[in-house]
Amino acid sequence: MENIILASSSPRRQEILKSMGIPFQVIMPNIDESSFYSRSPADLPEILAKAKVQAVVRSRPPKQVIPWVLGADTLVVMGNKVFGKPKDYQEAYDFLNALQGRSHQVITALALYNGRTHVTSVRTAVTKVTFSPMTDEEIQWYIETGDWHGAAGGYRIQGMASCFISRIDGTNSCVVGLPIFELYDMLKEQKYSIIS
């Protein structure tokens, strides 16, 4: 199997690629994500996933062969409000307080660049997540775990936040940040086989 460049430092995305037996290396894209936030929330993950791929492709030396680059972006959206990664404890509290007792959407987009054909495929997955009502004490307890750091919406579904998630309509891997079905479908379409 050929090496894939993962344009993300997310340990969760790396774990999923490892579990699928896909060899990869991490190259962080140099983009300012906040400059894209004026776009529609529904379109933003796809735009950012493609921008991450393009940034990595542009950062490589001109004559270097780039076989595959995978970019991903995850957003938590409720109504027209985007819940990004909280900047501090208070914002994490505000996010969870807004999400508790309600449903929201987690949108994850993937972009896969094929260096041979110079084609970028895109797939988007959407999962609806419902939080049970949470007390102030429960929100503070969760924030104290530190699990909100670097997580869209201020929570990680694979961590202690699962104590408060009453329903998921869609896939867990979408919420984690790398939807497995969509990834496999893209790889198969681009003739990248993970079946040896």
Side-chain angles (χ1 to χ4, degrees), residues 4-183:
I4 289 179
I5 295 172
L6 176 62
S8 169
S9 63
S10 163
R12 270 66 52 195
R13 292 183 179 130
Q14 293 174 39
E15 286 165 14
I16 289 174
L17 290 180
K18 284 177 191 167
S19 74
M20 295 175 75
I22 297 172
F24 67 93
Q25 70 178 107
V26 173
I27 298 178
M28 280 297 295
N30 184 17
I31 65 166
D32 176 15
E33 292 187 26
S34 65
S35 67
F36 293 84
Y37 280 4
S38 61
R39 308 292 184 95
S40 156
D43 300 331
L44 192 54
E46 184 177 310
I47 291 166
L48 282 169
K50 288 194 286 191
K52 290 174 184 180
V53 166
Q54 290 162 4
V56 168
V57 170
R58 283 193 307 270
S59 74
R60 304 292 85 207
K63 295 192 188 271
Q64 182 181 9
V65 176
I66 305 166
W68 304 96
V69 181
L70 176 64
D73 194 73
T74 301
L75 280 184
V76 171
V77 179
M78 190 167 62
N80 285 324
K81 181 170 172 53
V82 173
F83 293 78
K85 297 170 184 173
K87 63 180 180 295
D88 55 28
Y89 182 101
Q90 184 60 51
E91 190 167 48
Y93 178 90
D94 293 343
F95 282 7
L96 286 170
N97 193 43
L99 297 174
Q100 61 91 17
R102 301 175 73 187
S103 297
H104 61 272
Q105 288 188 320
V106 179
I107 306 169
T108 297
L110 301 178
L112 178 68
Y113 172 79
N114 181 332
R116 287 185 187 79
T117 62
H118 305 287
V119 169
T120 301
S121 299
V122 180
R123 296 284 188 285
T124 300
V126 180
T127 294
K128 182 178 170 186
V129 178
T130 303
F131 270 88
S132 64
M134 298 168 70
T135 65
D136 183 66
E137 185 180 40
E138 287 171 324
I139 295 171
Q140 289 186 25
W141 170 81
Y142 177 72
I143 293 169
E144 290 295 334
T145 68
D147 210 28
W148 58 271
H149 288 283
Y155 73 92
R156 286 197 171 84
I157 197 168
Q158 70 276 25
M160 294 307 293
S162 60
C163 292
F164 308 109
I165 294 171
S166 59
R167 185 179 173 97
I168 298 172
D169 297 302
T171 66
N172 198 59
S173 62
C174 170
V175 185
V176 172
L178 196 67
I180 294 170
F181 172 80
E182 286 76 9
L183 174 59

